[in-house]
Amino acid sequence: MGTTAVVERSKKKVHLWKKAVVHFMLCFVMGFFTGFAPTNKNSLFLSRISVSNLTDFSPQPLEILHQKKLQNLTYNINLLDGSNPAEEVVPARSSSNSDDAAEHSSSADDLILRRLIIVVTPTSSKNDLRGVQLRRLGNTLRLVAPPLLWVVVEQQSESMEVSEILRQTGIMYRHLVFKENFTDIRAEMDHQRNVALNHIEHHRLSGIVHFAGLSNVYDLSFFHQIRAIQVFGTWPMAFLSANRNKIKIEGPVCESSEVIGWHLKTVENLTDIISTTPSIHISSFAFNSSILWDPERWGRTSSAQHTSQDSLKFVKKEVVEEETNLKGIPSQDCSRVLLWSLQTPA
């Protein structure tokens, strides 16, 4: 009996030993093949973030970048189809204190809505100073807060001068050309302005239109002022001559921002003419572009293009007749000159 018990105990030990070996081999094989499995780097990275300060890995800069791209894309689409008044949402300047800046950045009061300014400039190859004047005007427009669109018109030619100058300015622009020939420089300039107005109407560009001559010199606050125009706006304009010691000022007579007449003054501040019949210089008024392509908004049955082939003549007529919608600029009393026309000798 003793011998039999010893044999049975030895068999049990062998059996347990075999089970241990099999178990060890199974664990070894599982561990061996697990080592070849791909490691999930994202899960490892997230696990590391979870035990650290999450603010160190904030994705906010990336989100802001995408928001800016989306904003620019939306603005360009609106500019083309005119589906929304062209306004740019711009965050206000942040405070020097970082805590205050964080508060202001989250406040809706710090968002500034800027309307699009559409600056129309006709040019002629007959002007020997065209390149210099284009660069000067371009340098001025670069300093204007966006959004701003510069529409430059010229006669079709092989010269690339205007195109190269516009590309170098860094301003959003549209370069328009025409094929007609003119002997009268004034008729050519008016035709170019009509080309620009027809382009604005066709593409339904929504903004404030201003005709800027190459001889114009601006106070930068001028562009801030005209953004407040709802329908039509007008302002005094000074004319400087390089060959004469004389300054002529033309523009509206105002009570506050209400236009009550028009005047012409000399440098001695003597009134030469006061009249209720305005003789408006092309650069002394601006208007809401929707009057060209949205007639129902203004109580008309047809657009400017269908009313008259001469859109410029139509706009001038509207400025004179729409006295109640004509805003004097600056709004105090129209007495401050923000725009000068510098006449240079040929």
Side-chain angles (χ1 to χ4, degrees), residues 45-96:
F45 181 72
L46 290 175
S47 64
R48 290 179 183 176
I49 294 179
S50 64
V51 296
S52 62
N53 188 355
L54 288 176
T55 57
D56 295 338
F57 301 90
S58 173
Q60 290 179 354
L62 184 61
E63 292 177 359
I64 292 173
L65 177 62
H66 288 312
Q67 288 171 4
K68 288 183 178 179
K69 288 183 178 179
L70 180 61
Q71 186 179 30
N72 292 336
L73 177 61
T74 305
Y75 168 69
N76 288 331
I77 293 173
N78 291 338
L79 182 64
L80 287 173
D81 62 13
S83 58
N84 189 33
E87 296 177 339
E88 182 185 29
V89 181
V90 182
R93 295 179 181 176
S94 59
S95 171
S96 57

Side-chain angles (χ1 to χ4, degrees), residues 93-239:
R93 295 179 181 176
S94 59
S95 171
S96 57
N97 187 298
S98 59
D99 294 333
D100 292 341
E103 286 184 12
H104 291 320
S105 63
S106 62
S107 173
D109 295 337
D110 285 342
L111 295 179
I112 302 172
L113 297 180
R114 294 198 188 117
R115 303 178 69 185
L116 174 69
I117 297 177
I118 306 173
V119 178
V120 175
T121 302
T123 70
S124 174
S125 58
K126 302 179 181 70
N127 180 5
D128 296 332
L129 299 176
R130 178 172 69 168
V132 175
Q133 292 176 328
L134 267 173
R135 289 185 178 90
R136 183 185 65 182
L137 182 56
N139 288 334
T140 298
L141 298 180
R142 286 178 64 181
L143 302 175
V144 179
L148 182 144
L149 174 65
W150 194 11
V151 181
V152 179
V153 191
E154 68 164 340
Q155 186 179 29
Q156 189 174 15
S157 67
E158 296 180 358
S159 173
M160 300 296 293
E161 179 187 20
V162 174
S163 297
E164 291 175 358
I165 292 173
L166 292 177
R167 281 196 296 268
Q168 293 170 2
T169 60
I171 303 169
M172 183 170 62
Y173 71 89
R174 294 192 179 182
H175 184 198
L176 309 181
V177 297
F178 63 95
K179 297 180 179 180
E180 292 81 359
N181 293 316
F182 293 88
T183 55
D184 185 353
I185 186 65
R186 291 193 176 185
E188 180 180 358
M189 292 296 174
D190 283 348
H191 177 74
Q192 293 183 61
R193 296 181 183 107
N194 277 317
V195 169
L197 293 180
N198 292 337
H199 179 83
I200 293 169
E201 177 180 356
H202 177 73
H203 293 283
R204 296 193 168 215
L205 304 184
S206 180
I208 302 301
V209 180
H210 166 59
F211 297 104
L214 290 180
S215 61
N216 289 3
V217 179
Y218 294 88
D219 184 309
L220 285 178
S221 63
F222 167 83
F223 297 97
H224 174 72
Q225 293 279 350
I226 67 174
R227 277 196 165 106
I229 294 174
Q230 296 299 321
V231 188
F232 301 101
T234 184
W235 49 82
M237 187 171 174
F239 297 85

Side-chain angles (χ1 to χ4, degrees), residues 231-251:
V231 188
F232 301 101
T234 184
W235 49 82
M237 187 171 174
F239 297 85
L240 315 177
S241 177
N243 294 334
R244 301 176 184 175
N245 297 323
K246 187 176 182 181
I247 301 174
K248 184 174 66 174
I249 300 176
E250 297 181 3

